[in-house]
Amino acid sequence: MKPALSLVIPVYNEEAHIATSITTVRRILDAANISHQFILVDDGSRDGTWAALQSLAITMTGIRAYKLSRNFGKEAALCAGLEQVDTDLALVMDSDLQHPPELIPAMVAKMQEGYDVVEGIKSDRGHEGQMYKLGARAFYSSFMRLTGFDLRDASDFKLMNRRVINAWRQLPERDTFFRGMAAWVGFKRYAMPFQVARRVEGVSKWSPVKLSRLFISAISSFSSLPLQIITILGAIFFFSSLLLAIWTLYMKFAGTALSGFTTVILLQLIIGSAIMFGLGTIGLYLARIYDEIKARPRYLIEQSAASTVSTPGTASPIF
Ligand code: UDP
Ligand code: MG
């Protein structure tokens, strides 16, 4: 008997609490009679996470674990998990219980009202630092302005049905941004607010470098507006240079043309930096094209483990 729901969970260096976190989620789902399986993706952890996942697969039912060959990043780990989904419903959530598992039964119930996606919306960004909150706000407002997709308070806590997963699978890009792609596919969506809980243990696995990489990849994979901004910038420079040319020629013929050294230096600096900024932006997109055209796999699976009994016997399916 196939379970109804797959829980896709990326796991990176979460050895200390992963077993208790999984047990907590299971208890809630069993109480709600939702037949389910866990698809746990170890994103190349350097601690004992993989050993912990393997022993989970031995001691518990309904566990499927995959170990990526190195740290590919959360986005790639999510892809790895979602591609393994063989159930009618899939829920993506974090392993640190910041996405409250108590909400899952309500999300599943919403789904039965005919929605295709039930997405968790952060009603409160929880205990993030001021700098992080500011950065997140700047990111989402520029993302919305550039791409037209409003991802403010969006999270990766999403329940999707088969239709949406299949649609998502058709997106071929190598460099993925799950939150954006899940919005892009559309379908009938329900927004469910939730409070971001405190991390059960440890610290956030996102370094500033990783976050800025995600920022650049998210923007450049959803919008080519930065490229058009270069053209607009060029147009502005062109028209101001016309004005300046008229003025310079007038000064020349009037015989008062020697001053203006500061203007020349300033113009050189401004135009020079504008050109470099423009080239850099073109380079960014070129690099993306290069990465996509190489068509390397999004991730590599080194090892996998699965419970021998793949369906929990206790819960009867609700579908
Ligand atoms: N994660 C991952 N690979 C990474 C970084 C994070 O698979 O390179 C996982 C991590 O184990 C957790 C989820 O992504 O399940 C969210 O990470 P974290 O809690 O560190 O991020 P935050 O909650 O601060 O956004
Ligand atoms: Mg977290």
Side-chain angles (χ1 to χ4, degrees), residues 94 96 98 199:
D94 283 359
D96 54 7
Q98 284 195 292
R199 204 170 212 293

Side-chain angles (χ1 to χ4, degrees), residues 6-18:
S6 294
L7 294 125
V8 175
I9 305 180
V11 193
Y12 180 53
N13 292 348
E14 314 272 12
E15 172 189 21
H17 66 84
I18 188 66

Side-chain angles (χ1 to χ4, degrees), residues 49-167:
T49 298
W50 179 241
L53 296 188
Q54 278 177 311
S55 63
L56 271 179
I58 293 168
T59 53
M60 281 169 88
T61 56
I63 302 271
R64 286 162 58 185
Y66 301 88
K67 176 182 165 55
L68 303 190
S69 61
R70 64 172 169 85
N71 180 231
F72 280 89
K74 180 184 179 184
E75 297 293 329
L78 281 181
C79 290
L82 280 169
E83 273 164 25
Q84 297 297 331
V85 169
D86 54 358
T87 52
D88 289 329
L89 293 177
L91 176 85
V92 172
M93 69 185 292
D94 283 359
S95 57
D96 54 7
L97 297 189
Q98 284 195 292
H99 296 157
E102 306 81 45
L103 220 59
I104 302 174
M107 291 169 92
V108 172
K110 261 285 163 229
M111 213 64 170
Q112 283 161 317
E113 290 175 19
Y115 289 98
D116 295 304
V117 181
V118 176
E119 47 195 347
I121 300 290
K122 295 175 187 168
S123 61
D124 161 23
R125 295 196 68 96
H127 314 277
E128 290 166 355
Q130 276 310 316
M131 276 306 284
Y132 189 94
K133 273 185 204 172
L134 237 105
R137 196 172 320 145
F139 167 66
Y140 287 119
S141 65
S142 38
F143 191 87
M144 185 164 81
R145 229 164 276 150
L146 289 170
T147 68
F149 288 108
D150 184 4
L151 296 187
R152 263 171 312 165
D153 302 320
S155 71
D156 287 341
F157 191 30
K158 283 189 210 302
L159 179 64
M160 297 166 292
N161 66 10
R162 198 80 248 149
R163 267 210 304 176
V164 178
I165 299 165
N166 287 343

Side-chain angles (χ1 to χ4, degrees), residues 32-64:
N33 244 354
I34 299 172
S35 73
H36 61 279
Q37 65 178 354
F38 287 94
I39 297 182
L40 306 169
V41 182
D42 175 6
D43 186 16
S45 300
R46 267 161 298 182
D47 62 357
T49 298
W50 179 241
L53 296 188
Q54 278 177 311
S55 63
L56 271 179
I58 293 168
T59 53
M60 281 169 88
T61 56
I63 302 271
R64 286 162 58 185

